[in-house]
Amino acid sequence: MKTKLFTVAAIASALVWATGAAMAQSAKDFYKGKSVEIYIGYGLGGTYGKSATIMGEHLRPRIGADTVIVKSMPGAGGLKMTNYYANVAKKDGTAIMLPPDTLAITQMLKPKKAKYDVRDFTWLGASVRSNSLSAVRADSGVKSWTDLKSKGVPFACSGLGSQTCQIPALINGLLGTKIKIVRGYKGSKKMLLAMEQGEAAGINLTWLAYKTNRQEWFQKGFAIPIIQMGPTKDPELQDVPNLKDLVSAKDRPIVNFMSSLIAIGRSLAVHKNTPADRTAFLKSAFVDMAKDPIFIADMKKRKLQVTYTSADDIHKIVNESVSMSPAVIKRTNQILFGSAS
């Protein structure tokens, strides 16, 4: 009887050990030979596409995947892709999202259009962060933001969920400017081209997007930076006013809420239903990548500056955004869209 009990106990112990060992190795083994997809809501030519491509190149050997493919799904300023990712994309760890930086903002301002909850995403971290910047053509007749109070100029916009639409509308509402927001452009590349060709007189993008794609605009005097938005001024834009310093005290919480897009930046996330061991494996790979001098040098080569933000810091900002008071949300909606929701 004792021998039988011992045998059963030994088998049970072996099963527990084997299960533990399998779990410890499962994430690494899972990705061997797999194809992983990184979803973006914009075209491949902008900083979203470039960031996703470079991160994919450096993550692939770290996770052992056969390939990492960037899937571009433009539409509604990233909203189309985000809705798809939240509800349709695989949740087994082979689908990763590089979300629009306005992710939390859009959910709070347009809950009926946002078919997702940002709390359903688990962040791996962010490798790129950059202030938002409104710039105009030098021949537009606008030399500073105050000129926009009397002169309405067209700004290119990619869609409802994008800062290219939301920030000019915010500037109009808070400062009394007359920017004309023109929707329908698919990605920063087409918006930049529209500005070059004179279809648009201005755009609001990240400073990084300008530096990556059209830094010569500012060096040669083609474009003028007029307003930036961020927690603090960008070191390279010290002469450009920060929106939060231009608004009244009562409106500063709105600017702080909208500034959540800076922290989200060019981050990667997976759905919360992704197996925990695979999420932890991906997060570890992301941190290792983001701090690797080779990755940083590769990003720099492609005119992308690495500014690492931890997953915990992003989660904190996102949670603060979705906990914003109804009064702030209501007033922000009125300013941006002329309605309370």
Side-chain angles (χ1 to χ4, degrees):
M1 185 68 177
K2 285 184 179 179
T3 302
K4 186 175 181 181
L5 287 172
F6 176 79
T7 302
V8 171
I11 292 171
S13 177
L15 286 172
V16 170
W17 181 87
T19 301
M23 287 181 67
Q25 297 175 4
S26 63
K28 185 176 181 179
D29 292 340
F30 171 78
Y31 285 101
K32 287 181 181 176
K34 290 284 195 307
S35 179
V36 174
E37 297 172 330
I38 299 179
Y39 286 82
I40 64 170
Y42 302 94
L44 294 171
T47 57
Y48 281 91
K50 290 178 182 178
S51 298
T53 299
I54 300 170
M55 286 192 281
E57 291 170 359
H58 286 266
L59 280 175
R60 187 194 61 75
R62 285 176 165 83
I63 63 178
D66 188 46
T67 57
V68 176
I69 301 166
V70 178
K71 297 206 76 171
S72 171
M73 193 178 289
L79 188 58
K80 177 182 176 182
M81 179 280 296
T82 309
N83 285 340
Y84 178 89
Y85 182 84
N87 297 286
V88 182
K90 292 179 181 179
K91 298 173 177 60
D92 63 354
T94 60
I96 302 172
M97 175 177 66
L98 196 166
D101 47 20
T102 53
L103 184 76
I105 294 167
T106 299
Q107 175 182 327
M108 298 304 292
L109 299 183
K110 291 294 174 186
K112 292 180 181 178
K113 293 184 181 293
K115 309 299 183 184
Y116 61 85
D117 187 331
V118 290
R119 290 163 292 195
D120 286 343
F121 304 131
T122 302
W123 262 260
L124 307 181
S127 62
V128 177
R129 184 176 61 195
S130 180
N131 277 6
S132 175
L133 178 69
S134 288
V136 296
R137 287 174 58 113
D139 62 4
S140 66
V142 175
K143 302 303 178 185
S144 74
W145 75 266
T146 55
D147 294 328
L148 291 171
K149 285 188 170 186
S150 57
K151 188 174 181 62
V153 297
F155 269 51
C157 159
S158 63
L160 181 69
S162 168
Q163 66 162 291
T164 61
C165 233
Q166 293 180 357
I167 305 307
L170 183 70
I171 292 170
N172 279 345
L174 295 180
L175 301 181
T177 52
K178 297 179 179 179
I179 296 170
K180 297 176 183 176
I181 301 167
V182 183
R183 296 184 186 180
Y185 292 94
K186 293 185 177 180
S188 60
K189 194 171 182 181
K190 291 188 177 180
M191 287 185 280
L192 291 164
L193 185 60
M195 190 163 158
E196 283 181 333
Q197 294 176 339
E199 285 180 25
I203 322 173
N204 188 95
L205 298 168
T206 63
W207 172 227
L208 178 67
Y210 286 115
K211 287 202 302 179
T212 302
N213 296 286
R214 297 292 193 280
Q215 189 166 16
E216 68 276 7
W217 279 8
F218 303 94
Q219 295 169 339
K220 296 179 179 180
F222 172 80
I224 300 171
I226 52 172
I227 295 180
Q228 64 179 300
M229 187 183 77
T232 59
K233 285 186 176 183
D234 186 285
E236 296 179 334
L237 300 171
Q238 288 299 311
D239 295 331
V240 180
N242 195 347
L243 181 59
K244 75 173 189 176
D245 298 327
L246 301 176
V247 301
S248 63
K250 72 171 184 175
D251 288 333
R252 205 156 289 138
I254 295 174
V255 179
N256 291 338
F257 166 63
M258 295 296 291
S259 292
S260 69
L261 63 88
I262 309 302
I264 291 174
R266 302 297 177 264
S267 56
L268 292 183
V270 293
H271 197 276
K272 70 175 184 181
N273 291 341
T274 302
D277 61 330
R278 294 173 198 170
T279 298
F281 181 66
L282 289 171
K283 189 182 292 186
S284 177
F286 183 93
V287 174
D288 183 68
M289 173 197 72
K291 297 183 178 181
D292 183 353
I294 296 174
F295 169 71
I296 294 170
D298 198 5
M299 291 280 278
K300 189 175 181 180
K301 258 189 235 176
R302 304 191 212 187
K303 300 180 181 179
L304 294 168
Q305 182 179 346
V306 174
T307 308
Y308 171 69
T309 306
S310 72
D312 288 343
D313 286 345
I314 299 172
H315 277 293
K316 181 181 177 184
I317 295 295
V318 166
N319 288 337
E320 287 174 355
S321 295
V322 296
S323 300
M324 195 58 62
S325 74
V328 170
I329 297 302
K330 181 178 179 180
R331 177 154 163 69
T332 305
N333 255 316
Q334 288 172 335
I335 287 170
L336 298 190
F337 309 114
S339 63
S341 63

